[in-house]
Amino acid sequence: VQLQAFGGGLVQAGGSLRLSCKASTRSFEETVMGWFRQAPGKEREFVAGIGWNGESTKYQDSVKGRFTISRVNRFSTVYLQMNRLKPEDTAVYYCAAQTTPYNRVGIVTSLYNYWGQGTLVTVSS
């Protein structure tokens, strides 16, 4: 599985960005997808995850109500819509694939076995 993330950039606080992640796999519809982020000097952390058909989602508490994860299986793509961005959202954002044979959204990095290259999101104050 190869993952390629797009959409990062520089935005002012309060603004919005949408990240996209295109996956190259024949079984995307049976792959749990997640977004993680890593700020300078910090560990990589879970942001949001989505189940096979989008029926289940999980979010980190700090992004609930501001970020929305979604997917379009026929495009093998997962999205992260980020609204009301804050300077503390500044990080490199990674998409990740969890190719286990069960449809449960994990929140720890060790459950995800494929990772994209990351896209930088910078939120200025």
Side-chain angles (χ1 to χ4, degrees):
V1 177
Q2 290 186 326
L3 305 173
Q4 193 166 14
F6 305 92
L10 174 64
V11 63
Q12 288 189 330
S16 298
L17 280 175
R18 188 175 81 153
L19 305 182
S20 303
C21 175
K22 173 76 172 176
S24 62
T25 172
R26 294 182 179 179
S27 59
F28 183 78
E29 64 277 6
E30 294 182 348
T31 302
V32 170
M33 297 297 296
W35 287 98
F36 290 74
R37 67 186 180 188
Q38 188 166 17
K42 295 188 176 182
E43 292 187 354
R44 193 170 298 188
E45 63 179 5
F46 174 79
V47 176
I50 188 166
W52 292 355
N53 295 310
E55 74 292 348
S56 65
T57 57
K58 289 185 180 179
Y59 296 92
Q60 183 195 109
D61 285 346
S62 69
V63 307
K64 284 181 181 176
R66 299 190 297 123
F67 291 10
T68 303
I69 188 170
S70 61
R71 64 191 295 161
V72 179
N73 284 348
R74 67 182 184 275
F75 297 147
S76 297
T77 301
V78 63
Y79 304 95
L80 185 68
Q81 177 66 44
M82 305 185 294
N83 298 328
R84 292 184 281 135
L85 282 160
K86 303 176 181 180
E88 52 264 42
D89 294 318
T90 295
V92 176
Y93 283 70
Y94 298 89
C95 64
Q98 178 186 307
T99 59
T100 51
Y102 50 86
N103 185 18
R104 290 202 295 270
V105 178
I107 64 171
V108 295
T109 56
S110 59
L111 291 175
Y112 291 80
N113 43 348
Y114 294 95
W115 293 82
Q117 83 284 8
T119 184
L120 177 62
V121 172
T122 304
V123 184
S124 62
S125 57

